[in-house]
Amino acid sequence: VQLVESGGGLVQAGGSLRLSCAASGFTFDGYAIGWFRQAPGKEREAVSCSIAGTTFYVDSVKGRFTISSNNAKNTVYLQMNSLKPEDTAVYYCATVRVPDDQPMGIIAPYEYDYWGQGTQVTVSS
């Protein structure tokens, strides 16, 4: 299993970025895919996840971020709009195989088995 993020960069406040997470070694069926971020000096926090096509977001990004996937490309995206300086962080995608009865909702970082290397997002004010 391998995950490779891309799409990070420097953007002004109010701007947009789309992050990509290219997956290999598995398909999305039966897996949860999550996006996380970690700012300097802070713990890694969940941003969004997708479980069996159902998507979840933390309150701080609701209405601004959208998680989606292209199964043909085995790629998950995080569209980030109306970016704020506080969104500045290294963004990671992660995946874990989940059972059919997986509770629906944000999955904590420690639950994930596979992680990408991260991509830096910097939002200037």
Side-chain angles (χ1 to χ4, degrees):
V1 174
Q2 187 175 16
L3 301 171
V4 179
E5 301 97 334
S6 62
L10 173 64
V11 63
Q12 289 187 333
S16 298
L17 283 174
R18 188 178 78 159
L19 305 184
S20 298
C21 174
S24 60
F26 74 106
T27 60
F28 296 145
D29 288 344
Y31 283 80
I33 305 293
W35 282 98
F36 300 83
R37 64 188 180 187
Q38 187 165 18
K42 295 187 177 181
E43 292 187 355
R44 190 168 299 187
E45 63 170 351
V47 173
S48 177
C49 74
S50 176
I51 305 171
T54 302
T55 58
F56 304 92
Y57 304 90
V58 294
D59 288 345
S60 60
V61 307
K62 279 182 182 177
R64 300 189 298 123
F65 290 12
T66 303
I67 187 172
S68 63
S69 64
N70 183 327
N71 290 346
K73 294 185 177 181
N74 225 31
T75 300
V76 175
Y77 304 98
L78 185 68
Q79 177 67 43
M80 306 186 296
N81 299 327
S82 302
L83 282 162
K84 305 174 181 180
E86 51 263 45
D87 294 319
T88 295
V90 178
Y91 282 71
Y92 300 88
C93 62
T95 189
V96 60
R97 189 165 182 81
V98 293
D100 292 341
D101 59 351
Q102 171 70 31
M104 291 289 113
I106 292 290
I107 301 175
Y110 70 86
E111 301 273 15
Y112 285 82
D113 291 329
Y114 304 100
W115 292 82
Q117 83 289 351
T119 185
Q120 176 70 47
V121 171
T122 303
V123 185
S124 63
S125 57

